[in-house]
Amino acid sequence: MLSIKNLTVEADGKEILRDVNLEIGDTEKVVLFGPNGCGKSTLFKVIMGLGDYKIKKGSIEVGGKSLKNKSVDKRVKLGLGYIGQKSAGIKGLTLDTLMKQYDFTYEEIRKDVEELNITEFLDRDLNYSLSGGEIKRVELFTLSLLKNLNTYLLDELDSGVDLENIERISKYINRVAKNKSIVLTTHTGSILKNIDVDTAYVMLNGQIICKGAPKKVWECINNQGYEKCVTCDSRLK
Ligand code: ADP
Ligand code: MG
């Protein structure tokens, strides 16, 4: 269970997240919608303890344990896995090496490698000289090496990925994250075609203003745009 209560966050003296409340149950799959700049990526980074953000108020807990003052690797040990919009390349580190460091034999990871179609990237420097879509597949694979993860935070995993590969990564996520919680963001909604999400939230100006059934919320956004959310009768107070 990932539990966020009254989370208010600043960066550079500017309030970016305001009183965010989110409860994500074990195995619950959640999509977070919102226009550019509303604070989605900031929320993910703050959950992971990344970036230069100041928590003014509120709490984040995983499995009842507070994340306050916890390093990024402690958060990963508590079960949080994250794929951000931008991924740093690491020269000199290949997936082959990484896999061995985690004591996996090729036989043990073969299924994942084949499903993600990343065989040809195994001996390449991590996230170097790969296209945006290829990086996403490689990143998903690296999460699979961390068997303790209980929550996947996936920030725009489908952007820059062609349709065939969106289907590929969606199927893969359905298999490996079946018993995990997922929070994902998407602008195109294309990843939702193959991943069944339980709940949708909408964020505007750093606040969660809507919670609902994913298909219904997505339809509303597509038909009316986010501007309508501002005056929506069902807006959360
Ligand atoms: P989203 O992912 O929803 O598009 P972000 O979380 O990336 O939005 O950004 C939310 C807002 O906060 C944007 O206006 C962005 O410019 C601002 N912001 C994010 N991180 C910082 C930072 N470290 N310093 C100053 N402003 C930031
Ligand atoms: Mg973002």
Side-chain angles (χ1 to χ4, degrees):
M1 162 87 82
L2 173 64
S3 172
I4 300 172
K5 291 204 178 92
N6 304 110
L7 185 68
T8 298
V9 171
E10 272 184 15
D12 260 352
K14 181 184 144 199
E15 203 168 82
I16 299 179
L17 299 178
R18 272 188 291 160
D19 262 320
V20 170
N21 287 290
L22 270 183
E23 293 271 331
I24 293 141
D26 298 335
T27 79
E28 189 181 6
K29 318 283 187 265
V30 161
V31 57
L32 178 62
F33 294 119
N36 289 331
C38 72
K40 304 177 298 296
S41 298
T42 301
L43 178 64
F44 283 158
K45 283 186 252 178
V46 169
I47 296 171
M48 291 311 298
L50 297 164
D52 200 8
Y53 297 102
K54 194 166 180 184
I55 299 186
K56 300 294 287 182
K57 203 173 67 143
S59 63
I60 311 173
E61 290 181 0
V62 172
K65 291 202 173 76
S66 168
L67 298 185
K68 197 172 177 184
N69 299 326
K70 292 228 166 31
S71 61
V72 179
D73 55 310
K74 286 238 171 69
R75 293 174 196 229
V76 175
K77 283 198 179 108
L78 283 173
L80 296 173
Y82 163 69
I83 300 180
Q85 281 180 258
K86 292 185 203 120
S87 305
I90 306 174
K91 263 231 170 323
L93 181 65
T94 65
L95 280 181
D96 257 337
T97 325
L98 199 63
M99 178 187 112
K100 280 172 197 141
Q101 275 172 3
Y102 279 90
D103 287 330
F104 286 100
T105 62
Y106 184 71
E107 262 326 294
E108 287 169 313
I109 50 110
R110 192 157 62 97
K111 193 171 176 194
D112 299 79
V113 167
E114 282 173 3
E115 273 181 26
L116 289 167
N117 195 20
I118 55 168
T119 312
E120 59 179 306
F121 313 140
L122 285 178
D123 57 359
R124 290 214 212 151
D125 285 340
L126 206 65
N127 297 346
Y128 252 88
S129 63
L130 296 177
S131 77
E134 290 168 349
I135 288 177
K136 308 278 182 180
R137 273 143 58 207
V138 166
E139 292 266 289
L140 261 180
F141 174 74
T142 58
L143 288 193
S144 80
L145 297 177
L146 302 164
K147 295 296 178 201
N148 74 308
L149 298 185
N150 52 46
T151 305
Y152 279 9
L153 307 173
L154 308 172
D155 200 0
E156 292 194 36
L157 196 65
D158 53 2
S159 46
V161 182
D162 63 59
L163 288 177
E164 191 185 324
N165 276 305
I166 286 175
E167 200 178 324
R168 189 190 299 282
I169 60 177
S170 308
K171 278 190 185 149
Y172 180 75
I173 291 169
N174 280 338
R175 179 176 72 81
V176 297
K178 201 173 180 171
N179 299 315
K180 301 181 198 295
S181 312
I182 298 179
V183 187
L184 59 87
T185 63
T186 174
H187 276 294
T188 61
S190 48
I191 200 164
L192 300 176
K193 217 174 121 203
N194 293 296
I195 296 182
D196 266 339
V197 285
D198 305 298
T199 321
Y201 291 90
V202 178
M203 183 179 262
L204 273 189
N205 296 323
Q207 284 183 303
I208 302 284
I209 57 127
C210 177
K211 177 182 182 182
K215 282 207 172 78
K216 199 168 161 224
V217 174
W218 182 231
E219 227 173 76
C220 257
I221 295 167
N222 266 310
N223 293 339
Q224 310 180 350
Y226 287 112
E227 305 86 71
K228 281 275 178 193
C229 298
V230 179
T231 51
C232 178
D233 288 341
S234 318
R235 183 179 167 143
L236 297 172
K237 297 290 170 270

